[in-house]
Amino acid sequence: MTRRLVIHVGAQKCASSSLQASLRLVAQASKGGLGFCFLNPAQLRDADQALKMNRDTAFKYVDRVISAQSSSQVVISHEMLGNRPALVCSMAERALEKHSFDHVVISGYSRLQSNYHVSAFSQWFFRDRKKLLDDLKVLSNRNLNWRQFTALERSLLALSFVGKDRNWYSNYQRFYDGVRELGDSVSVVSCHIPTRSHPYSLLEHFLSSTGMSLGLEDLESFDVRKNLSFHPVLIHGMSEYLSSLRPVQQSFFPLPHEGNRWLFRVCKRLSGGEDVMAEFDSLFSPRLQHSLVGHLDCRASSSNKQYCELMSVDFNYFQPSDEASLLSEEELMTLAVDAAQSRNSEDIECFNRRIENVCMKSMRAEIVSS
């Protein structure tokens, strides 16, 4: 019986949690037809470090996981693998040589870089003190008053001035180069995640593109969509509060990847948040954010075209809007200065104070209740 292993490599913020949840359900329903394992991130980090140092223990964890799978079709998954092509390619080679698999598929998904960054900010960066402080330094070096911008605007400005875009072409070219010597025994597949303008079934696409055959009907019933997001009041309130702290000051706020359940409970307790956020657009015109997003889309356009050609992906997923334009540093500065000067400092300060009070009240209520 031919055996097929699929290594799902993410990436982060590319519907990985939704796909993993769907695959768990499919594995249960397949009654042995599909094996699925969500890999341990700490063990993967150790394996990656051991591989770089040529240690014999590099594949101890991976071997244990793969050898435990008896199905003819197996999926192993973790979104951090997208950043570790050498480890993934070594895993593919090992699956063929040591674990009796006949074919390995490396599968991953992508998304427009600006959307990727905004989504990452809304989940992680808004409470990442190092990232927030780094953004402040970028603005300070250009004599821009950080208090005149939202944390997301500061993040987008910093990325526009000094940051690098996620390069999907470079990512997948490394996967191709890493498995080239393995010939037709290994294939690499990728696509942009579904969008509102270009929708499709993620689960169905994954199974089809990786060559999985399960004979299950009504795949839609297994299609999980995990789109949980934090309340904008929490995002704005926490990021503004953390940004105002001195580097040596401590905070009880959860860091990225910490306390998600607690933060979601705090979001449920927010009262009056919608009334406060109604002032948001009047204080912070969306024009700056739209212009920065357009700039990032144009900046990444060339490498995105290369990725689309390499992976046979529709470039319409990555096409910048008609209003988007690539801006010089001088133009970025003018855009930022104009936005800052058009905003009322006192109104922003009062708004931020109200937001922080709403957040703190909800957090206190959640702490007291538990």
mmCIF file with all atom_site columns, all heavy atoms in Angstrom, residues 349-369:
data_model
loop_
_atom_site.group_PDB
_atom_site.id
_atom_site.type_symbol
_atom_site.label_atom_id
_atom_site.label_alt_id
_atom_site.label_comp_id
_atom_site.label_asym_id
_atom_site.label_entity_id
_atom_site.label_seq_id
_atom_site.pdbx_PDB_ins_code
_atom_site.Cartn_x
_atom_site.Cartn_y
_atom_site.Cartn_z
_atom_site.occupancy
_atom_site.B_iso_or_equiv
_atom_site.pdbx_formal_charge
_atom_site.auth_seq_id
_atom_site.auth_comp_id
_atom_site.auth_asym_id
_atom_site.auth_atom_id
_atom_site.pdbx_PDB_model_num
ATOM 1   N N   . GLU A 1 349 ? -5.538  62.331 23.888 1.00 0.00 ? 349 GLU A N   1
ATOM 2   C CA  . GLU A 1 349 ? -5.181  61.979 25.260 1.00 0.00 ? 349 GLU A CA  1
ATOM 3   C C   . GLU A 1 349 ? -6.410  61.601 26.078 1.00 0.00 ? 349 GLU A C   1
ATOM 4   O O   . GLU A 1 349 ? -6.400  60.609 26.818 1.00 0.00 ? 349 GLU A O   1
ATOM 5   C CB  . GLU A 1 349 ? -4.459  63.151 25.926 1.00 0.00 ? 349 GLU A CB  1
ATOM 6   C CG  . GLU A 1 349 ? -3.950  62.837 27.324 1.00 0.00 ? 349 GLU A CG  1
ATOM 7   C CD  . GLU A 1 349 ? -3.223  64.005 27.955 1.00 0.00 ? 349 GLU A CD  1
ATOM 8   O OE1 . GLU A 1 349 ? -2.967  64.996 27.250 1.00 0.00 ? 349 GLU A OE1 1
ATOM 9   O OE2 . GLU A 1 349 ? -2.909  63.921 29.162 1.00 0.00 ? 349 GLU A OE2 1
ATOM 10  N N   . CYS A 1 350 ? -7.488  62.376 25.939 1.00 0.00 ? 350 CYS A N   1
ATOM 11  C CA  . CYS A 1 350 ? -8.734  62.066 26.665 1.00 0.00 ? 350 CYS A CA  1
ATOM 12  C C   . CYS A 1 350 ? -9.320  60.737 26.196 1.00 0.00 ? 350 CYS A C   1
ATOM 13  O O   . CYS A 1 350 ? -9.797  59.930 27.007 1.00 0.00 ? 350 CYS A O   1
ATOM 14  C CB  . CYS A 1 350 ? -9.753  63.193 26.461 1.00 0.00 ? 350 CYS A CB  1
ATOM 15  S SG  . CYS A 1 350 ? -9.309  64.736 27.264 1.00 0.00 ? 350 CYS A SG  1
ATOM 16  N N   . PHE A 1 351 ? -9.273  60.510 24.896 1.00 0.00 ? 351 PHE A N   1
ATOM 17  C CA  . PHE A 1 351 ? -9.805  59.270 24.319 1.00 0.00 ? 351 PHE A CA  1
ATOM 18  C C   . PHE A 1 351 ? -9.029  58.066 24.856 1.00 0.00 ? 351 PHE A C   1
ATOM 19  O O   . PHE A 1 351 ? -9.627  57.068 25.282 1.00 0.00 ? 351 PHE A O   1
ATOM 20  C CB  . PHE A 1 351 ? -9.710  59.332 22.793 1.00 0.00 ? 351 PHE A CB  1
ATOM 21  C CG  . PHE A 1 351 ? -10.083 58.058 22.096 1.00 0.00 ? 351 PHE A CG  1
ATOM 22  C CD1 . PHE A 1 351 ? -11.415 57.681 21.953 1.00 0.00 ? 351 PHE A CD1 1
ATOM 23  C CD2 . PHE A 1 351 ? -9.105  57.224 21.580 1.00 0.00 ? 351 PHE A CD2 1
ATOM 24  C CE1 . PHE A 1 351 ? -11.760 56.499 21.313 1.00 0.00 ? 351 PHE A CE1 1
ATOM 25  C CE2 . PHE A 1 351 ? -9.435  56.045 20.936 1.00 0.00 ? 351 PHE A CE2 1
ATOM 26  C CZ  . PHE A 1 351 ? -10.765 55.684 20.800 1.00 0.00 ? 351 PHE A CZ  1
ATOM 27  N N   . ASN A 1 352 ? -7.707  58.152 24.833 1.00 0.00 ? 352 ASN A N   1
ATOM 28  C CA  . ASN A 1 352 ? -6.876  57.043 25.304 1.00 0.00 ? 352 ASN A CA  1
ATOM 29  C C   . ASN A 1 352 ? -7.111  56.763 26.786 1.00 0.00 ? 352 ASN A C   1
ATOM 30  O O   . ASN A 1 352 ? -7.108  55.607 27.215 1.00 0.00 ? 352 ASN A O   1
ATOM 31  C CB  . ASN A 1 352 ? -5.402  57.341 25.052 1.00 0.00 ? 352 ASN A CB  1
ATOM 32  C CG  . ASN A 1 352 ? -5.027  57.233 23.583 1.00 0.00 ? 352 ASN A CG  1
ATOM 33  O OD1 . ASN A 1 352 ? -5.719  56.573 22.805 1.00 0.00 ? 352 ASN A OD1 1
ATOM 34  N ND2 . ASN A 1 352 ? -3.944  57.876 23.202 1.00 0.00 ? 352 ASN A ND2 1
ATOM 35  N N   . ARG A 1 353 ? -7.328  57.817 27.563 1.00 0.00 ? 353 ARG A N   1
ATOM 36  C CA  . ARG A 1 353 ? -7.590  57.640 28.993 1.00 0.00 ? 353 ARG A CA  1
ATOM 37  C C   . ARG A 1 353 ? -8.900  56.885 29.206 1.00 0.00 ? 353 ARG A C   1
ATOM 38  O O   . ARG A 1 353 ? -8.991  55.990 30.056 1.00 0.00 ? 353 ARG A O   1
ATOM 39  C CB  . ARG A 1 353 ? -7.634  58.993 29.696 1.00 0.00 ? 353 ARG A CB  1
ATOM 40  C CG  . ARG A 1 353 ? -7.622  58.884 31.236 1.00 0.00 ? 353 ARG A CG  1
ATOM 41  C CD  . ARG A 1 353 ? -7.641  60.251 31.891 1.00 0.00 ? 353 ARG A CD  1
ATOM 42  N NE  . ARG A 1 353 ? -6.499  61.047 31.465 1.00 0.00 ? 353 ARG A NE  1
ATOM 43  C CZ  . ARG A 1 353 ? -6.593  62.218 30.824 1.00 0.00 ? 353 ARG A CZ  1
ATOM 44  N NH1 . ARG A 1 353 ? -7.788  62.699 30.522 1.00 0.00 ? 353 ARG A NH1 1
ATOM 45  N NH2 . ARG A 1 353 ? -5.523  62.886 30.496 1.00 0.00 ? 353 ARG A NH2 1
ATOM 46  N N   . ARG A 1 354 ? -9.917  57.236 28.423 1.00 0.00 ? 354 ARG A N   1
ATOM 47  C CA  . ARG A 1 354 ? -11.212 56.541 28.550 1.00 0.00 ? 354 ARG A CA  1
ATOM 48  C C   . ARG A 1 354 ? -11.095 55.077 28.131 1.00 0.00 ? 354 ARG A C   1
ATOM 49  O O   . ARG A 1 354 ? -11.669 54.195 28.778 1.00 0.00 ? 354 ARG A O   1
ATOM 50  C CB  . ARG A 1 354 ? -12.284 57.251 27.711 1.00 0.00 ? 354 ARG A CB  1
ATOM 51  C CG  . ARG A 1 354 ? -12.711 58.602 28.267 1.00 0.00 ? 354 ARG A CG  1
ATOM 52  C CD  . ARG A 1 354 ? -14.033 59.059 27.668 1.00 0.00 ? 354 ARG A CD  1
ATOM 53  N NE  . ARG A 1 354 ? -13.967 59.217 26.228 1.00 0.00 ? 354 ARG A NE  1
ATOM 54  C CZ  . ARG A 1 354 ? -13.541 60.328 25.608 1.00 0.00 ? 354 ARG A CZ  1
ATOM 55  N NH1 . ARG A 1 354 ? -13.120 61.357 26.334 1.00 0.00 ? 354 ARG A NH1 1
ATOM 56  N NH2 . ARG A 1 354 ? -13.528 60.409 24.308 1.00 0.00 ? 354 ARG A NH2 1
ATOM 57  N N   . ILE A 1 355 ? -10.359 54.841 27.055 1.00 0.00 ? 355 ILE A N   1
ATOM 58  C CA  . ILE A 1 355 ? -10.152 53.466 26.588 1.00 0.00 ? 355 ILE A CA  1
ATOM 59  C C   . ILE A 1 355 ? -9.448  52.636 27.660 1.00 0.00 ? 355 ILE A C   1
ATOM 60  O O   . ILE A 1 355 ? -9.851  51.508 27.970 1.00 0.00 ? 355 ILE A O   1
ATOM 61  C CB  . ILE A 1 355 ? -9.327  53.457 25.282 1.00 0.00 ? 355 ILE A CB  1
ATOM 62  C CG1 . ILE A 1 355 ? -10.173 53.914 24.095 1.00 0.00 ? 355 ILE A CG1 1
ATOM 63  C CG2 . ILE A 1 355 ? -8.751  52.065 25.012 1.00 0.00 ? 355 ILE A CG2 1
ATOM 64  C CD1 . ILE A 1 355 ? -11.114 52.898 23.549 1.00 0.00 ? 355 ILE A CD1 1
ATOM 65  N N   . GLU A 1 356 ? -8.396  53.189 28.224 1.00 0.00 ? 356 GLU A N   1
ATOM 66  C CA  . GLU A 1 356 ? -7.647  52.470 29.260 1.00 0.00 ? 356 GLU A CA  1
ATOM 67  C C   . GLU A 1 356 ? -8.529  52.193 30.478 1.00 0.00 ? 356 GLU A C   1
ATOM 68  O O   . GLU A 1 356 ? -8.469  51.098 31.064 1.00 0.00 ? 356 GLU A O   1
ATOM 69  C CB  . GLU A 1 356 ? -6.416  53.280 29.672 1.00 0.00 ? 356 GLU A CB  1
ATOM 70  C CG  . GLU A 1 356 ? -5.322  53.285 28.616 1.00 0.00 ? 356 GLU A CG  1
ATOM 71  C CD  . GLU A 1 356 ? -4.127  54.127 29.029 1.00 0.00 ? 356 GLU A CD  1
ATOM 72  O OE1 . GLU A 1 356 ? -4.031  54.470 30.228 1.00 0.00 ? 356 GLU A OE1 1
ATOM 73  O OE2 . GLU A 1 356 ? -3.297  54.443 28.159 1.00 0.00 ? 356 GLU A OE2 1
ATOM 74  N N   . ASN A 1 357 ? -9.358  53.148 30.855 1.00 0.00 ? 357 ASN A N   1
ATOM 75  C CA  . ASN A 1 357 ? -10.246 52.953 32.007 1.00 0.00 ? 357 ASN A CA  1
ATOM 76  C C   . ASN A 1 357 ? -11.252 51.839 31.755 1.00 0.00 ? 357 ASN A C   1
ATOM 77  O O   . ASN A 1 357 ? -11.536 51.017 32.638 1.00 0.00 ? 357 ASN A O   1
ATOM 78  C CB  . ASN A 1 357 ? -10.987 54.256 32.340 1.00 0.00 ? 357 ASN A CB  1
ATOM 79  C CG  . ASN A 1 357 ? -10.069 55.290 32.978 1.00 0.00 ? 357 ASN A CG  1
ATOM 80  O OD1 . ASN A 1 357 ? -9.014  54.945 33.499 1.00 0.00 ? 357 ASN A OD1 1
ATOM 81  N ND2 . ASN A 1 357 ? -10.463 56.550 32.928 1.00 0.00 ? 357 ASN A ND2 1
ATOM 82  N N   . VAL A 1 358 ? -11.793 51.792 30.550 1.00 0.00 ? 358 VAL A N   1
ATOM 83  C CA  . VAL A 1 358 ? -12.736 50.727 30.192 1.00 0.00 ? 358 VAL A CA  1
ATOM 84  C C   . VAL A 1 358 ? -12.049 49.371 30.276 1.00 0.00 ? 358 VAL A C   1
ATOM 85  O O   . VAL A 1 358 ? -12.602 48.401 30.821 1.00 0.00 ? 358 VAL A O   1
ATOM 86  C CB  . VAL A 1 358 ? -13.301 50.961 28.771 1.00 0.00 ? 358 VAL A CB  1
ATOM 87  C CG1 . VAL A 1 358 ? -14.062 49.729 28.281 1.00 0.00 ? 358 VAL A CG1 1
ATOM 88  C CG2 . VAL A 1 358 ? -14.223 52.174 28.748 1.00 0.00 ? 358 VAL A CG2 1
ATOM 89  N N   . CYS A 1 359 ? -10.824 49.280 29.751 1.00 0.00 ? 359 CYS A N   1
ATOM 90  C CA  . CYS A 1 359 ? -10.074 48.019 29.787 1.00 0.00 ? 359 CYS A CA  1
ATOM 91  C C   . CYS A 1 359 ? -9.757  47.601 31.217 1.00 0.00 ? 359 CYS A C   1
ATOM 92  O O   . CYS A 1 359 ? -9.957  46.445 31.602 1.00 0.00 ? 359 CYS A O   1
ATOM 93  C CB  . CYS A 1 359 ? -8.778  48.158 28.991 1.00 0.00 ? 359 CYS A CB  1
ATOM 94  S SG  . CYS A 1 359 ? -9.004  48.216 27.210 1.00 0.00 ? 359 CYS A SG  1
ATOM 95  N N   . MET A 1 360 ? -9.255  48.545 32.009 1.00 0.00 ? 360 MET A N   1
ATOM 96  C CA  . MET A 1 360 ? -8.866  48.225 33.384 1.00 0.00 ? 360 MET A CA  1
ATOM 97  C C   . MET A 1 360 ? -10.067 47.785 34.223 1.00 0.00 ? 360 MET A C   1
ATOM 98  O O   . MET A 1 360 ? -9.966  46.864 35.042 1.00 0.00 ? 360 MET A O   1
ATOM 99  C CB  . MET A 1 360 ? -8.187  49.432 34.040 1.00 0.00 ? 360 MET A CB  1
ATOM 100 C CG  . MET A 1 360 ? -6.847  49.795 33.429 1.00 0.00 ? 360 MET A CG  1
ATOM 101 S SD  . MET A 1 360 ? -5.632  48.459 33.617 1.00 0.00 ? 360 MET A SD  1
ATOM 102 C CE  . MET A 1 360 ? -4.181  49.269 32.947 1.00 0.00 ? 360 MET A CE  1
ATOM 103 N N   . LYS A 1 361 ? -11.196 48.415 34.009 1.00 0.00 ? 361 LYS A N   1
ATOM 104 C CA  . LYS A 1 361 ? -12.405 48.049 34.742 1.00 0.00 ? 361 LYS A CA  1
ATOM 105 C C   . LYS A 1 361 ? -12.787 46.605 34.432 1.00 0.00 ? 361 LYS A C   1
ATOM 106 O O   . LYS A 1 361 ? -13.152 45.833 35.338 1.00 0.00 ? 361 LYS A O   1
ATOM 107 C CB  . LYS A 1 361 ? -13.548 49.003 34.383 1.00 0.00 ? 361 LYS A CB  1
ATOM 108 C CG  . LYS A 1 361 ? -14.826 48.748 35.128 1.00 0.00 ? 361 LYS A CG  1
ATOM 109 C CD  . LYS A 1 361 ? -15.897 49.760 34.736 1.00 0.00 ? 361 LYS A CD  1
ATOM 110 C CE  . LYS A 1 361 ? -17.218 49.493 35.477 1.00 0.00 ? 361 LYS A CE  1
ATOM 111 N NZ  . LYS A 1 361 ? -18.266 50.474 35.073 1.00 0.00 ? 361 LYS A NZ  1
ATOM 112 N N   . SER A 1 362 ? -12.742 46.236 33.166 1.00 0.00 ? 362 SER A N   1
ATOM 113 C CA  . SER A 1 362 ? -13.093 44.881 32.759 1.00 0.00 ? 362 SER A CA  1
ATOM 114 C C   . SER A 1 362 ? -12.081 43.860 33.268 1.00 0.00 ? 362 SER A C   1
ATOM 115 O O   . SER A 1 362 ? -12.438 42.756 33.689 1.00 0.00 ? 362 SER A O   1
ATOM 116 C CB  . SER A 1 362 ? -13.175 44.791 31.228 1.00 0.00 ? 362 SER A CB  1
ATOM 117 O OG  . SER A 1 362 ? -14.140 45.692 30.736 1.00 0.00 ? 362 SER A OG  1
ATOM 118 N N   . MET A 1 363 ? -10.814 44.224 33.238 1.00 0.00 ? 363 MET A N   1
ATOM 119 C CA  . MET A 1 363 ? -9.777  43.321 33.748 1.00 0.00 ? 363 MET A CA  1
ATOM 120 C C   . MET A 1 363 ? -9.925  43.103 35.252 1.00 0.00 ? 363 MET A C   1
ATOM 121 O O   . MET A 1 363 ? -9.796  41.967 35.743 1.00 0.00 ? 363 MET A O   1
ATOM 122 C CB  . MET A 1 363 ? -8.378  43.895 33.419 1.00 0.00 ? 363 MET A CB  1
ATOM 123 C CG  . MET A 1 363 ? -8.033  43.850 31.958 1.00 0.00 ? 363 MET A CG  1
ATOM 124 S SD  . MET A 1 363 ? -6.441  44.643 31.621 1.00 0.00 ? 363 MET A SD  1
ATOM 125 C CE  . MET A 1 363 ? -6.328  44.401 29.840 1.00 0.00 ? 363 MET A CE  1
ATOM 126 N N   . ARG A 1 364 ? -10.197 44.176 35.962 1.00 0.00 ? 364 ARG A N   1
ATOM 127 C CA  . ARG A 1 364 ? -10.378 44.049 37.407 1.00 0.00 ? 364 ARG A CA  1
ATOM 128 C C   . ARG A 1 364 ? -11.569 43.136 37.715 1.00 0.00 ? 364 ARG A C   1
ATOM 129 O O   . ARG A 1 364 ? -11.496 42.286 38.615 1.00 0.00 ? 364 ARG A O   1
ATOM 130 C CB  . ARG A 1 364 ? -10.591 45.424 38.050 1.00 0.00 ? 364 ARG A CB  1
ATOM 131 C CG  . ARG A 1 364 ? -10.735 45.367 39.555 1.00 0.00 ? 364 ARG A CG  1
ATOM 132 C CD  . ARG A 1 364 ? -11.017 46.742 40.157 1.00 0.00 ? 364 ARG A CD  1
ATOM 133 N NE  . ARG A 1 364 ? -11.093 46.644 41.612 1.00 0.00 ? 364 ARG A NE  1
ATOM 134 C CZ  . ARG A 1 364 ? -12.147 46.220 42.289 1.00 0.00 ? 364 ARG A CZ  1
ATOM 135 N NH1 . ARG A 1 364 ? -13.240 45.861 41.620 1.00 0.00 ? 364 ARG A NH1 1
ATOM 136 N NH2 . ARG A 1 364 ? -12.120 46.153 43.607 1.00 0.00 ? 364 ARG A NH2 1
ATOM 137 N N   . ALA A 1 365 ? -12.652 43.313 36.971 1.00 0.00 ? 365 ALA A N   1
ATOM 138 C CA  . ALA A 1 365 ? -13.837 42.497 37.188 1.00 0.00 ? 365 ALA A CA  1
ATOM 139 C C   . ALA A 1 365 ? -13.536 41.016 36.956 1.00 0.00 ? 365 ALA A C   1
ATOM 140 O O   . ALA A 1 365 ? -14.002 40.130 37.695 1.00 0.00 ? 365 ALA A O   1
ATOM 141 C CB  . ALA A 1 365 ? -14.973 42.950 36.270 1.00 0.00 ? 365 ALA A CB  1
ATOM 142 N N   . GLU A 1 366 ? -12.738 40.723 35.925 1.00 0.00 ? 366 GLU A N   1
ATOM 143 C CA  . GLU A 1 366 ? -12.383 39.337 35.627 1.00 0.00 ? 366 GLU A CA  1
ATOM 144 C C   . GLU A 1 366 ? -11.453 38.765 36.689 1.00 0.00 ? 366 GLU A C   1
ATOM 145 O O   . GLU A 1 366 ? -11.607 37.608 37.099 1.00 0.00 ? 366 GLU A O   1
ATOM 146 C CB  . GLU A 1 366 ? -11.704 39.254 34.239 1.00 0.00 ? 366 GLU A CB  1
ATOM 147 C CG  . GLU A 1 366 ? -11.282 37.862 33.830 1.00 0.00 ? 366 GLU A CG  1
ATOM 148 C CD  . GLU A 1 366 ? -12.428 36.864 33.813 1.00 0.00 ? 366 GLU A CD  1
ATOM 149 O OE1 . GLU A 1 366 ? -13.572 37.255 33.489 1.00 0.00 ? 366 GLU A OE1 1
ATOM 150 O OE2 . GLU A 1 366 ? -12.179 35.693 34.160 1.00 0.00 ? 366 GLU A OE2 1
ATOM 151 N N   . ILE A 1 367 ? -10.522 39.565 37.181 1.00 0.00 ? 367 ILE A N   1
ATOM 152 C CA  . ILE A 1 367 ? -9.608  39.096 38.235 1.00 0.00 ? 367 ILE A CA  1
ATOM 153 C C   . ILE A 1 367 ? -10.379 38.816 39.518 1.00 0.00 ? 367 ILE A C   1
ATOM 154 O O   . ILE A 1 367 ? -10.188 37.765 40.158 1.00 0.00 ? 367 ILE A O   1
ATOM 155 C CB  . ILE A 1 367 ? -8.493  40.154 38.478 1.00 0.00 ? 367 ILE A CB  1
ATOM 156 C CG1 . ILE A 1 367 ? -7.559  40.218 37.290 1.00 0.00 ? 367 ILE A CG1 1
ATOM 157 C CG2 . ILE A 1 367 ? -7.719  39.800 39.752 1.00 0.00 ? 367 ILE A CG2 1
ATOM 158 C CD1 . ILE A 1 367 ? -6.556  41.364 37.347 1.00 0.00 ? 367 ILE A CD1 1
ATOM 159 N N   . VAL A 1 368 ? -11.253 39.729 39.890 1.00 0.00 ? 368 VAL A N   1
ATOM 160 C CA  . VAL A 1 368 ? -12.034 39.570 41.127 1.00 0.00 ? 368 VAL A CA  1
ATOM 161 C C   . VAL A 1 368 ? -12.943 38.356 41.038 1.00 0.00 ? 368 VAL A C   1
ATOM 162 O O   . VAL A 1 368 ? -13.109 37.592 41.991 1.00 0.00 ? 368 VAL A O   1
ATOM 163 C CB  . VAL A 1 368 ? -12.842 40.852 41.425 1.00 0.00 ? 368 VAL A CB  1
ATOM 164 C CG1 . VAL A 1 368 ? -13.821 40.607 42.573 1.00 0.00 ? 368 VAL A CG1 1
ATOM 165 C CG2 . VAL A 1 368 ? -11.915 41.999 41.772 1.00 0.00 ? 368 VAL A CG2 1
ATOM 166 N N   . SER A 1 369 ? -13.543 38.128 39.881 1.00 0.00 ? 369 SER A N   1
ATOM 167 C CA  . SER A 1 369 ? -14.504 37.042 39.727 1.00 0.00 ? 369 SER A CA  1
ATOM 168 C C   . SER A 1 369 ? -13.835 35.674 39.821 1.00 0.00 ? 369 SER A C   1
ATOM 169 O O   . SER A 1 369 ? -14.483 34.674 40.162 1.00 0.00 ? 369 SER A O   1
ATOM 170 C CB  . SER A 1 369 ? -15.220 37.153 38.382 1.00 0.00 ? 369 SER A CB  1
ATOM 171 O OG  . SER A 1 369 ? -14.341 36.840 37.328 1.00 0.00 ? 369 SER A OG  1
#
